[in-house]
Amino acid sequence: MTDTSSVLQIKGLQIALPEGADRPFAVDDVSYDLKAGEILCIVGESGSGKSMSANAMMGLLPDLVRPTAGEILFHDTDLLKLSEDALRDLRGKKIAMIFQEPMSALNPLMRVDDQIAEVFEAHDLLSPAERRTRAIELLTEVGIPDPEKAARAYPFQLSGGQRQRVMIAMALALEPEILIADEPTTALDVTTQAQILKLIADLQERHGMAVMFITHDFGVVAEIADRVAVMQLGKIVEHGNADEVLDHPQHDYTRKLIAAIPKLHADDAEEADTKKTALEVIGLTKTYRSGGGLFGGPERVVHAVNDISFKLGVGETLGVVGESGSGKSSVGRCLVRLQDPDQGSVLLDGEDMATLTGEKLRTVRKSIQMIFQDPFASLNPRSKIGRIIAEGPIAHGVPAKQAYAKAAELLDLVGLDPSAIDRYPHEFSGGQRQRIGIARALALEPEIIIADEAVSALDVSIQAQVLDLLDDLKTRLNLSLVFITHDLRVAAQICDRIAVMQKGNLVELGTASDIFNNPKSDYTRSLIEAIPGREKELAAAG
Amino acid sequence: MRDFWSRFKRNRGAVAGLAILVIVVAVAALAPVLFPQSPWKMVQRPFLPPLTMDALPLGTDALGRNVLSGLAYGAQVSLLIGLVSTVVSLLIGIPIGALAGYFGGWVDDGLMRFTEFFQTVPNFALAIVLVAIFEPSVQSIIGAIAIVSWPPVARLVRGEVLSLRSREYVEAAILSGQKNSTIILRQILPNTLSPIIVLASLMVATAILLESSLSFLGLGDPNLMSWGYMIGAARTVIRQAWWLSFFPGFAILMTVLALNLIGEGLNDALNPRLSRKGK
């Protein structure tokens, strides 16, 4: 920390939401300051208003949402009172922002160097040739391999991490005093996330910027924050140095949030009953082909799943982990035959799921059900909850009345009120919808459940509840679970055994404690080392 | 539902359109009460200009028939043909689009080539040929209009089904063992309803225009007084008796305008995320 003067002070900020929202103010009486050369993390769950104060600062609030009280002082000028023109001059030059989804934040039809040059152009700086040179310098600084080539690339030709680096290069272009990062690593894989976090910390130190880092992830906070502000329902509930807040949280909410983070140590699983096999997968292969054909040029072949074999014991939870593109979801979809595998067999009670068709497939599929990722897309918005759950049994010939009675029981089982049966999905929150999705999967009394990123879309406290529910149901109903996730913390908490996938291959399969304590492959090791907040946790554990 | 109405109300044009349509529907429904006599009956001397006799505010035509009465009965014909032909074309277009979108592959290819066959023939020419072959009558006109206007429905439904097909709730339905027919009817089609309703409201307007054009060319049902027929019959005397073509033309304009405004309002109300800002 070179300078301790505040570059930004927010005093008593209040932002009103339009009538009919769930609360009158998006943020209420929020005050904090940001000093030069520090990283302030604003943490909160979805809907806590953590992005709102940053958006107000940049003049990016939605139409009907407006600040009603307080001030945002940037070097003694109140940003809320500035005209649009004056604010535009500050944006980019003094305050820059990077966003969550680098693909949608970059213009897909513009080459990277043109986009960076545009930043200078917008502020009427430098000559076109200088802009181009500066763009390449910036790309070099943010560590893009082969910056000359990357400069002429279109965003779709870059990987997610590289795109985020381009975004950061654009933000740095005019040497801003404040960098606002709104969930910049949420859409990235864990190893890429670790690199980007390191990059942001390095650049912050080199340029002496103040960084406001908005995130929902306490692991990320532990990794980079100097100071932390925890937000709940539009209010700052706790505010202080990172170490203090993380190690000695004062407020109940902070304590609850920290406790809800899945812990990174895997218990020595009680030896699951591996004698009885619920599901056996032998040599499963799925290849995607695109292009080719008469005029298509060379064919593009992706081995999504490459000769994978494993067994799932009765009552066991098998985690399938990997980064995006590793083929973990394709495995799940091949198991339930939402996709047809090219080769291999999926043996379930002596039947090969991979080759069944028609009526036979319909009957066998009853015993293997799936829980989906997106709680908002996985329930038909025009069906009542009762029907959503009862439809499966009815399709298999259960009388409607009995199926609805069962649906009510299942709702009770997953911790919802049975009266939910007559309501529509939009009346429920994400966590509740995920419970409904679980009830639907259970309605056919399956033996095996495939959970495809089932908790990834949920806030950490809700995530913990849903994981507990799954664990509890698994024991009570003697289910076998295939848990597909990108989140190693979640895998550590719930899985007995873990399969690590990379580019369609199974690189390692072992008990959870083996995977975490003695990873055999380099890839697994790099995945584990990249988990945010891991070092801190290790230090705390002693 | 209340939510829908409040969003619909926000579009003033749509409310005005709805008001006009309500008037047209009321006139059509009350035509036999207001004008008990047949609209084809001679009531006065020919070419009586508007506002010269209290009983005949819009005057008479070349054969001394009451223009106002003709307009009222014409409203019946226009609305009837507009609505029924739209329903028929939805009945053709929705199943074709749904099957093509859901099954994909060669089913999709086959059905879409079939659809394109109809799209490549100019609408109006095909409608004229069909009506001419089958003798002009209400049924043949409705049939002809339906046959030329279903392809856009099939295209729209196919597109919607294609995108809904990969939704997780449809996959969940497949996993729970529901039959394809159940999945299409219960999971997918209800979610395509909003764009179909919007398209249908615009199709009614197009159908009314098509019917008027056919009648104008003398291909209307000879037993029904329709707006297009009135304009067609009056075109030779347009310089002596402007009111004979003006009032039916105005009626067509207002009805079609009303339906288009309603369609736009429905679009804003049913697809709130797509509607333009600040309206």
Side-chain angles (χ1 to χ4, degrees):
Chain A
M1 279 186 213
T2 47
D3 191 348
T4 46
S5 64
S6 300
V7 275
L8 186 87
Q9 284 178 296
I10 295 186
K11 288 184 188 160
L13 183 68
Q14 188 185 56
I15 298 175
L17 285 171
E19 271 175 57
D22 60 336
R23 59 176 195 255
F25 300 107
V27 300
D28 190 10
D29 195 19
V30 160
S31 308
Y32 55 85
D33 51 356
L34 185 62
K35 297 185 183 70
E38 74 165 357
I39 299 184
L40 170 69
C41 273
I42 307 209
V43 210
E45 299 194 289
S46 50
S48 62
K50 59 186 184 296
S51 301
M52 278 297 184
S53 45
N55 288 345
M57 197 187 305
M58 297 295 270
L60 292 177
L61 288 177
D63 270 356
L64 294 166
V65 179
R66 57 191 197 293
T68 40
E71 46 191 7
I72 301 178
L73 295 177
F74 174 70
H75 289 307
D76 303 325
T77 25
D78 187 352
L79 296 181
L80 296 177
K81 295 206 180 72
L82 280 185
S83 68
E84 184 61 23
D85 281 340
L87 195 59
R88 189 181 315 135
D89 198 45
L90 276 182
R91 277 198 292 242
K93 219 187 239 172
K94 301 286 182 196
I95 308 175
M97 190 159 180
I98 50 182
F99 299 92
Q100 174 172 354
E101 187 44 75
M103 190 66 215
S104 50
L106 290 171
N107 183 343
L109 296 176
M110 263 172 103
R111 291 180 195 272
V112 163
D113 58 349
D114 292 333
Q115 304 205 31
I116 299 179
E118 207 180 32
V119 179
F120 297 108
E121 206 179 321
H123 292 272
D124 237 352
L125 298 166
L126 306 180
S127 70
E130 285 169 334
R131 287 174 192 157
R132 192 127 306 167
T133 341
R134 188 79 183 100
I136 293 177
E137 281 171 26
L138 283 165
L139 289 173
T140 321
E141 183 171 8
V142 296
I144 285 192
D146 201 353
E148 301 268 350
K149 207 171 149 206
R152 299 307 294 158
Y154 288 100
F156 71 86
Q157 293 167 315
L158 303 175
S159 71
Q162 288 173 337
R163 277 182 221 136
Q164 199 55 281
R165 284 173 197 264
V166 171
M167 282 298 298
I168 295 173
M170 287 171 70
L172 287 177
L174 299 173
E175 303 268 337
E177 289 177 48
I178 301 176
L179 177 69
I180 302 171
D182 191 351
E183 301 262 11
T185 58
T186 309
L188 303 175
D189 280 326
V190 50
T191 44
T192 325
Q193 164 169 305
Q195 292 162 7
I196 296 285
L197 289 179
K198 186 165 176 307
L199 174 71
I200 292 179
D202 282 353
L203 291 170
Q204 179 265 335
E205 206 161 304
R206 216 178 310 153
H207 295 262
M209 287 181 299
V211 176
M212 184 193 283
F213 199 103
I214 300 162
T215 181
H216 70 280
D217 188 341
F218 267 100
V220 172
V221 176
E223 208 69 20
I224 70 167
D226 294 321
R227 281 193 307 133
V228 185
V230 183
M231 288 194 70
Q232 180 195 22
L233 298 174
K235 292 198 161 67
I236 290 188
V237 295
E238 190 160 356
H239 187 179
N241 283 333
D243 292 338
E244 275 171 39
V245 174
L246 291 175
D247 296 339
H248 310 285
Q250 299 299 313
H251 195 273
D252 283 346
Y253 179 69
T254 321
R255 250 178 254 153
K256 209 182 91 198
L257 276 185
I258 292 178
I261 304 168
K263 291 292 166 286
L264 243 191
H265 75 98
D267 303 324
D268 285 326
E270 63 276 27
E271 216 27 56
D273 190 359
T274 41
K275 274 170 244 155
K276 276 191 283 175
T277 307
L279 181 78
E280 185 170 6
V281 177
I282 305 166
L284 194 71
T285 302
K286 174 80 194 168
T287 311
Y288 296 111
R289 289 165 201 282
S290 55
L294 204 49
F295 306 108
E299 195 180 34
R300 218 169 80 92
V301 178
V302 179
H303 298 282
V305 181
N306 198 1
D307 193 18
I308 284 190
S309 309
F310 60 83
K311 279 184 190 177
L312 176 69
V314 173
E316 184 190 33
T317 304
L318 175 73
V320 179
V321 298
E323 300 191 289
S324 53
S326 63
K328 57 188 190 301
S329 287
S330 295
V331 170
R333 296 168 65 82
C334 284
L335 292 184
V336 293
R337 281 290 296 283
L338 279 173
Q339 275 171 351
D340 295 335
D342 299 330
Q343 273 171 37
S345 28
V346 179
L347 296 176
L348 180 78
D349 286 338
E351 298 272 9
D352 186 359
M353 273 284 289
T355 54
L356 294 177
T357 49
E359 198 54 29
K360 189 84 180 147
L361 174 65
R362 220 168 71 88
T363 333
V364 174
R365 195 138 66 176
K366 257 176 83 169
S367 54
I368 179 162
Q369 289 291 309
M370 194 155 179
I371 303 169
F372 293 88
Q373 169 174 8
D374 184 348
F376 292 89
S378 64
L379 304 177
N380 185 345
R382 303 226 183 218
S383 288
K384 287 183 179 169
I385 303 305
R387 208 174 94 184
I388 289 176
I389 299 174
E391 257 165 352
I394 291 174
H396 285 281
V398 176
K401 208 173 159 200
Q402 203 179 324
Y404 275 92
K406 180 81 191 294
E409 275 173 39
L410 283 168
L411 283 172
D412 191 44
L413 185 70
V414 297
L416 289 174
D417 195 274
S419 69
I421 226 168
D422 286 322
R423 290 159 69 188
Y424 284 95
H426 69 87
E427 297 172 54
F428 295 90
S429 69
Q432 289 171 322
R433 282 160 176 248
Q434 207 55 309
R435 285 168 191 266
I436 295 167
I438 294 173
R440 171 176 60 191
L442 293 175
L444 288 170
E445 301 178 357
E447 290 158 27
I448 301 166
I449 288 194
I450 316 269
D452 188 357
E453 298 278 10
V455 296
S456 312
L458 305 175
D459 276 327
V460 53
S461 55
I462 312 289
Q463 183 176 337
Q465 292 167 12
V466 172
L467 285 176
D468 283 346
L469 172 70
L470 274 177
D471 212 32
D472 175 48
L473 289 173
K474 192 194 86 172
T475 356
R476 272 208 275 173
L477 307 174
N478 199 24
L479 297 167
S480 313
L481 213 60
V482 176
F483 200 91
I484 299 166
T485 181
H486 71 281
D487 189 336
L488 288 153
R489 286 178 178 275
V490 171
Q493 184 179 351
I494 192 169
C495 300
D496 301 322
R497 284 194 304 151
I498 292 179
V500 182
M501 287 189 66
Q502 181 193 21
K503 293 181 182 155
N505 295 307
L506 188 63
V507 286
E508 194 166 350
L509 174 65
T511 61
S513 58
D514 275 352
I515 294 275
F516 281 98
N517 301 330
N518 319 301
K520 291 199 182 58
S521 74
D522 293 341
Y523 180 68
T524 313
R525 207 168 301 129
S526 70
L527 274 185
I528 292 171
E529 276 163 11
I531 301 172
R534 174 171 168 272
E535 279 164 30
K536 189 168 180 66
E537 208 167 294
L538 287 181
Chain B
M1 195 60 211
R2 244 179 45 216
D3 201 29
F4 164 80
W5 180 237
S6 77
R7 283 202 301 263
F8 187 81
K9 259 194 329 205
R10 218 177 292 154
N11 188 333
R12 292 236 185 98
V15 177
L18 192 64
I20 299 173
L21 189 70
V22 167
I23 294 172
V24 176
V25 170
V27 168
L30 295 177
V33 184
L34 296 171
F35 307 100
Q37 290 182 324
S38 158
W40 299 95
K41 193 169 181 292
M42 271 180 67
V43 290
Q44 252 294 334
R45 72 170 176 86
F47 296 120
L48 189 71
L51 302 173
T52 40
M53 277 182 74
D54 287 348
L56 304 166
L58 296 184
T60 60
D61 69 1
L63 294 172
R65 295 174 296 211
N66 185 351
V67 173
L68 188 60
S69 156
L71 280 185
Y73 282 91
Q76 278 186 341
V77 175
S78 291
L79 290 178
L80 173 84
I81 291 184
L83 281 176
V84 177
S85 65
T86 301
V87 169
V88 175
S89 53
L90 290 180
L91 288 179
I92 307 174
I94 294 177
I96 290 186
L99 292 177
Y102 187 79
F103 289 104
W106 63 265
V107 179
D108 185 22
D109 281 343
L111 289 172
M112 281 302 111
R113 292 305 88 77
F114 180 66
T115 310
E116 276 156 16
F117 171 74
F118 281 90
Q119 286 189 301
T120 48
V121 185
N123 273 355
F124 192 51
L126 183 59
I128 290 176
V129 171
L130 289 170
V131 175
I133 294 174
F134 293 109
E135 310 247 304
S137 69
V138 182
Q139 290 85 353
S140 71
I141 293 172
I142 289 176
I145 295 177
I147 284 175
V148 300
S149 44
W150 66 265
V153 184
R155 287 258 164 213
L156 174 84
V157 174
R158 171 178 176 268
E160 291 286 321
V161 171
L162 271 180
S163 81
L164 290 173
R165 226 220 102 115
S166 55
R167 290 286 165 88
E168 288 180 345
Y169 61 83
V170 176
E171 294 188 333
I174 296 174
L175 286 189
S176 69
Q178 296 176 41
K179 299 209 168 60
N180 287 330
S181 54
T182 329
I183 295 175
I184 295 177
L185 288 175
R186 302 197 111 183
Q187 313 288 350
I188 297 182
L189 283 184
N191 288 297
T192 62
L193 221 55
S194 326
I196 293 179
I197 290 175
V198 173
L199 181 68
S201 69
L202 300 175
M203 280 170 62
V204 175
T206 324
I208 290 176
L209 279 178
L210 264 176
E211 187 276 331
S212 305
S213 317
L214 285 172
S215 310
F216 176 82
L217 294 179
L219 290 167
D221 187 323
N223 302 314
L224 292 176
M225 177 65 80
S226 94
W227 293 340
Y229 164 77
M230 290 168 80
I231 302 176
R235 75 179 192 278
T236 49
V237 293
I238 191 161
R239 291 208 288 180
Q240 297 96 303
W242 57 271
W243 64 92
L244 294 186
S245 27
F246 175 78
F247 290 114
F250 187 69
I252 295 174
L253 171 75
M254 291 313 283
T255 314
V256 170
L257 179 70
L259 284 164
N260 277 295
L261 288 173
I262 292 173
E264 198 166 293
L266 284 175
N267 194 28
D268 286 358
L270 292 171
N271 308 326
R273 264 166 301 160
L274 298 177
S275 62
R276 286 147 306 157
K277 247 164 112 188
K279 262 247 160 172

